Every structure is written in structure tokens, then in C-alpha cells.
């Protein structure tokens, strides 16, 4: 893994004039337009980067974008990788390893998720304050390479409290309605059954999706500061479940996208 990461890092540096981003951004389904706020300097398709997987999901563009938001240097992933696509967890989280060795210390992760909290509605923007990992494979399983991080990782603060506080302050100034909650990561690719939604709520989560958790675990393994944010694209409660498909998820995400992108942009500029 170490050698694969360094090979990817060396290639990216050679193609970006040794660009050194401070922030990494991982964009979820239907949430790719934040790149419109980036003064783009370089774009690299995943297919050209050694050892990189290629996203197979509708709504994911499969490219790295390098540039600036305000005076902050950023790298954005247009499209992430999911366990349900058939990748191993090490492949899913490989780009986060690469981010670290490009110089990134802060990771912003967005996703689309299903809500079970009755205070949510379709289109709600939720700041992730914690997560519950229910994925069937752990990204740190196997022999640990101490060059990346410790064997046992402290997960008492997976999502930066300081970044959450700042984001809420900015949301108030921008008049953007935000809520917070606990995100549960499940394997997918099926949407949840009514009983599974009940389980999610019973176990203490407010929303559920198929990403984010592995990436944040690996980021914390390497000492990165993380901020997670979700758009609620469908709702399920104890008595009713909305029929949903991926196209509807993308549509709901796109409606909330301008507000989410504005908040992420201002967080990066001001934090």
C-alpha cells in the first residue's frame, strides 16, 4: 500500500507542478457543482492516475480537480468509490491516503443520505456530528503500516468539533438552515427496507448512507481533521417509507446543492 500511494502521489505532483493543497473535498451523489467555486488549475481523470479506481456510479465524474477557493488550495474528488461497487475498503479509501501525502490536513466529505429523524425532510442539510460504522469490512483490517498511523485509532472525535462550530456560525450568517445528526454507514447498494430504517433509528442514527464512514476512518488513522455534511434525499419512519430511486436521490441533492456548496466554500475560506 505504501508504495502504491507514493507512486500515485509522485505522478500527481508531476502533473500539477507540485501543487500542495490544504483541503481535500470528497463530493457525494449529485453534489459535484462545488467545483464551480474552485479556481481550477489542474484536472486529472482518475483513469490517468496510477493505482486509482474509477467511479462507476451515475452522478460521479471521476476526476481530481486542483485549485483555490479564496486563498485556500484545495483538491476535490469528483466522484468517490463505494464498497458496493465491488472495490475493497482499501481501494475505497486509497484516495484519502494519497491526499495525506499531497499535504492535505483537512478533509471535507459530503454525501446524500436517507433520513429517519422526524425533524428532517427531503432537502435538509445535516452536519454530521458522529457516525456508526455498520459496514461489513473495516478499512484498517489487516497488518498495520505504522508509517500511515497507529494500529488502534482514537475515534472519540471523528468529525472536528471546531469545524462544526464554525460551520454552524457561518450557516446562521448565510441564512442557510442546517441540522446536525449521527450518520450510519451501511453497505448498499439497496435502499433500506422499512425494518432497516427502524433499526437505524433504534441504534441511534439520524440518517443512513453507503459512503463516508470508511474515508473518515482512514483520514483519522492519518491524523487529518474531518468535516462531514449530508443532504437528506429521502425519508423513512416507523410506519412509512418513501419509494425512491437513484434519479430521485440525484434530483433532491441537486436542489439543496447551492446551499451546501455555499456553506462548504465559506467554511474552507474562513476556517
Amino acid at each position: 500500500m505504501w508504495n502504491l500511494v507514493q507512486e500515485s502521489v509522485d505522478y500527481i505532483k508531476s502533473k500539477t507542478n507540485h501543487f500542495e493543497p490544504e483541503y481535500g473535498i470528497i463530493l457525494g451523489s449529485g453534489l459535484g457543482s462545488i467545483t464551480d467555486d474552485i479556481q481550477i488549475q489542474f484536472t486529472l481523470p482518475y483513469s490517468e492516475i496510477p493505482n486509482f479506481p474509477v467511479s462507476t456510479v451515475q452522478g460521479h465524474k471521476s476526476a481530481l480537480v486542483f485549485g483555490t477557493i479564496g486563498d485556500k488550495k484545495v483538491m476535490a474528488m469528483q466522484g468517490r468509490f463505494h464498497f458496493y461497487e465491488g472495490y475493497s475498503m482499501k481501494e475505497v479509501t486509497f484516495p484519502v491516503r494519497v491526499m495525506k501525502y499531497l499535504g492535505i490536513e483537512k478533509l471535507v466529505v459530503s454525501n446524500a443520505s436517507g433520513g429517519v429523524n422526524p425533524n428532517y425532510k427531503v432537502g435538509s442539510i445535516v452536519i454530521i456530528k458522529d457516525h456508526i460504522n455498520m459496514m461489513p469490512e473495516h478499512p484498517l483490517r489487516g497488518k498495520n503500516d505504522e508509517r500511515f498511523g497507529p494500529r488502534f485509532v482514537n475515534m472519540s472525535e471523528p468529525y472536528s468539533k471546531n469545524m462544526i462550530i464554525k460551520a454552524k456560525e457561518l450557516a446562521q450568517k448565510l441564512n442557510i438552515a442546517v441540522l446536525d445528526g449521527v450518520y450510519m454507514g451501511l453497505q448498499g447498494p439497496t435502499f433500506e427496507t422499512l425494518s432497516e430504517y427502524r433499526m437505524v433509528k433504534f441504534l441511534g442514527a439520524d440518517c443512513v448512507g453507503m459512503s463516508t464512514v470508511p474515508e473518515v476512518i482512514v483520514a483519522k488513522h492519518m491524523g487529518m481533521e474531518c468535516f462531514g455534511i449530508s443532504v437528506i434525499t429521502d425519508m423513512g419512519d416507523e410506519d412509512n417509507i418513501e419509494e425512491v430511486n437513484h434519479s430521485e436521490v440525484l434530483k433532491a441533492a441537486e436542489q439543496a446543492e447551492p446551499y451546501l456548496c455555499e456553506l462548504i466554500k465559506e467554511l474552507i475560506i474562513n476556517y
Side-chain angles (χ1 to χ4, degrees):
M1 176 65 73
W2 178 266
N3 291 335
L4 294 175
V5 168
Q6 302 312 316
E7 183 181 2
S8 298
V9 168
D10 290 344
Y11 178 85
I12 292 168
K13 286 182 176 180
S14 74
K15 295 295 184 180
T16 60
N17 196 26
H18 290 263
F19 187 89
E20 295 184 359
E22 177 184 351
Y23 276 88
I25 308 169
I26 301 178
L27 303 170
S29 296
L31 300 171
S33 74
I34 194 171
T35 53
D36 295 341
D37 295 316
I38 298 175
Q39 297 295 313
I40 296 174
Q41 298 183 26
F42 307 97
T43 300
L44 290 180
Y46 294 163
S47 58
E48 296 181 3
I49 303 170
N51 312 314
F52 249 66
V54 177
S55 180
T56 66
V57 182
Q58 179 189 358
H60 293 252
K61 294 184 179 179
S62 291
L64 294 184
V65 173
F66 297 82
T68 56
I69 295 179
D71 62 353
K72 302 291 180 62
K73 292 182 177 180
V74 303
M75 183 193 97
M77 288 181 65
Q78 289 186 300
R80 56 150 53 94
F81 311 116
H82 304 81
F83 188 64
Y84 65 73
E85 294 177 78
Y87 296 117
S88 71
M89 280 300 188
K90 286 180 170 54
E91 290 174 311
V92 168
T93 57
F94 184 82
V96 181
R97 300 284 189 202
V98 171
M99 285 181 181
K100 175 68 176 183
Y101 290 94
L102 288 171
I104 290 170
E105 295 294 341
K106 299 179 182 69
L107 178 65
V108 176
V109 187
S110 69
N111 64 53
S113 67
V116 298
N117 186 320
N119 294 321
Y120 297 173
K121 61 183 180 181
V122 172
S124 291
I125 295 174
V126 176
I127 294 172
I128 301 172
K129 63 182 180 180
D130 203 353
H131 71 229
I132 299 172
N133 182 18
M134 297 291 283
M135 299 280 190
E137 170 75 38
H138 198 284
L140 302 183
R141 188 177 73 86
K143 185 178 179 180
N144 185 60
D145 189 332
E146 293 287 334
R147 291 174 291 184
F148 286 126
R151 167 78 285 183
F152 301 105
V153 182
N154 187 326
M155 295 296 291
S156 61
E157 191 180 322
Y159 302 89
S160 167
K161 291 179 181 177
N162 288 334
M163 293 183 83
I164 290 171
I165 290 169
K166 188 65 177 179
K168 288 181 176 180
E169 290 175 356
L170 290 166
Q172 189 170 18
K173 290 179 182 178
L174 297 166
N175 199 28
I176 296 174
V178 296
L179 299 162
D180 62 23
V182 176
Y183 176 90
M184 179 180 288
L186 296 178
Q187 174 179 318
T190 49
F191 294 108
E192 288 69 36
T193 67
L194 181 57
S195 294
E196 286 167 344
Y197 269 126
R198 288 174 180 158
M199 176 196 74
V200 170
K201 187 174 182 180
F202 179 78
L203 292 178
D206 300 288
C207 54
V208 59
M210 308 169 194
S211 66
T212 302
V213 171
E215 295 143 321
V216 169
I217 288 172
V218 166
K220 296 307 295 181
H221 184 229
M222 299 184 296
M224 297 166 72
E225 192 173 9
C226 300
F227 177 79
I229 194 163
S230 184
V231 174
I232 303 301
T233 53
D234 60 283
M235 290 292 298
D237 60 34
E238 295 182 4
D239 301 311
N240 182 51
I241 186 170
E242 297 177 356
E243 188 172 339
V244 65
N245 59 52
H246 190 62
S247 295
E248 290 171 345
V249 166
L250 293 177
K251 183 178 179 180
E254 287 164 2
Q255 289 174 347
E257 188 177 26
Y259 306 103
L260 178 137
C261 291
E262 181 69 10
L263 182 56
I264 289 176
K265 180 183 75 172
E266 289 300 320
L267 178 64
I268 290 172
I269 290 171
N270 292 287
Y271 184 75

